[in-house]
Amino acid sequence: MTIKDIARLSGCGVATVSRVLNDHPDVSDETRRRVMAVVEEQGFQPNNNAKHLKQQASSSIAIIVKGTMNMLFADLVERLQSLLRDAGQDADVYYLDEDANEVAYALQLCRERRPMGILFLGGDRELFQAAFQGITVPCVLLTNTAGDLGFDNLSSITTDDREASRQAVRFLAGQGHRHIGMLGGNWSCFQIGHSRYLGCLQACQELDLPFDGDRQCEPCRYSLEDGYAAAKVLLDRCPGLTAIFAVSDVTALGAMRALRDLGKRVPEDISVMGYDGITIGQYSLPRLTTVRQDTQQLAERGVDALLRGITRNSPPVHELVPFQLIEGESVARLS
């Protein structure tokens, strides 16, 4: 089985298959899924030994980014690269699809490139639990927690997603909203979306707000397009909602466009609140109300934990960074 065989079976060009196998971001999700389906079905293992035959133990740090449309991660990557550069460290960035197996990719990376350490931006804790023991270099998981996984070379730095979501919903309730929908994310108990769902549920229970998760929640990927489509599904199922809490700003912005196309005004007819605090949300019309994650602290603490693990073999740390509720113009007070 060669790359040409994969190209023939997937109906793609050899160059396209090569870009998929090398995780280039300039490949559509559908094409990537089609190629990888053939790769998995045929058990294809790319042989990169010749390419890296002369390579000694790498002096660089790998940054593995889960999701190509996540603007929060784009901000984090820029900050991480700057901090590592100031520390005299080189960094290589690898972008994966949102549904990819980042731990399997990291294992392959360790075999072929041998990085000094790895920074994971986003991650499925179930994948770490299943296979991370094969990774021996110091690692840090950013934006999800690994404190209960028990690996002695895996730190984690994250926002308290559950508490932040709880406060977001309590803010909406404080503006008079009782019928609140939740949009975006993955509700698996190993994903950050689940923590945000639990925070939303907790706030509704504390405030005695009606909340039917099956009806009032619509999961979706972290992108403008998916937020747009999911908002339409949610509003069709629950037309009586007065507010939507989206678990990411890009999802919220996609939802706002969908609401406009449905003839609804934000926030006059329905309020929208996001999560992340990305810059573009402060330039949208209306300006987005959101929960801001502190990307500077996430980056600084993540780099510090990784470098201490590399240079001093320090034990792992698991820390929470503060968040901030940013009141924009996308939430209206109900009379």
Side-chain angles (χ1 to χ4, degrees), residues 149-267:
L149 298 182
F151 296 111
D152 60 9
N153 62 323
L154 179 61
S155 296
S156 60
I157 315 293
T158 187
T159 302
D160 188 341
D161 290 294
R162 179 167 179 165
E163 178 59 22
S165 297
R166 172 179 170 271
Q167 291 197 22
V169 173
R170 290 185 70 90
F171 170 78
L172 291 172
Q175 301 301 305
H177 296 279
R178 291 188 53 81
H179 301 282
I180 301 169
M182 189 171 182
L183 190 67
N186 183 317
W187 307 142
S188 161
C189 62
F190 293 96
Q191 301 273 7
I192 57 173
H194 181 68
S195 297
R196 296 174 189 178
Y197 171 84
L198 291 178
C200 179
L201 177 62
Q202 181 181 348
C204 290
Q205 291 173 339
E206 291 170 348
L207 299 169
D208 196 27
L209 300 180
F211 188 75
D212 180 346
D214 291 334
R215 294 192 68 252
Q216 291 173 237
C217 297
E218 183 62 28
C220 71
R221 289 161 63 92
Y222 294 87
S223 74
L224 295 166
E225 295 85 355
D226 288 275
Y228 179 95
K232 287 190 170 183
V233 172
L234 180 62
L235 263 294
D236 183 63
R237 189 167 64 234
C238 298
L241 297 176
T242 65
I244 291 175
F245 171 48
V247 301
S248 77
D249 285 350
V250 291
T251 306
L253 294 171
M256 286 167 60
R257 181 71 253 182
L259 294 169
R260 179 63 180 264
D261 289 350
L262 289 171
K264 294 184 178 295
R265 299 168 299 165
V266 177

Side-chain angles (χ1 to χ4, degrees), residues 15-60:
T16 298
V17 172
S18 176
R19 288 200 299 275
V20 170
L21 295 177
N22 286 286
D23 286 296
H24 283 258
D26 59 337
V27 181
S28 72
D29 291 343
E30 176 58 33
T31 298
R32 192 181 302 276
R33 280 192 285 268
R34 190 162 73 246
V35 171
M36 293 310 297
V38 175
V39 168
E40 292 173 10
E41 179 183 339
Q42 299 297 323
F44 176 73
Q45 289 290 331
N47 184 358
N48 291 320
N49 290 336
K51 179 179 178 182
H52 304 295
L53 188 60
K54 296 182 180 179
Q55 180 174 309
Q56 302 300 315
S58 174
S59 61
S60 66

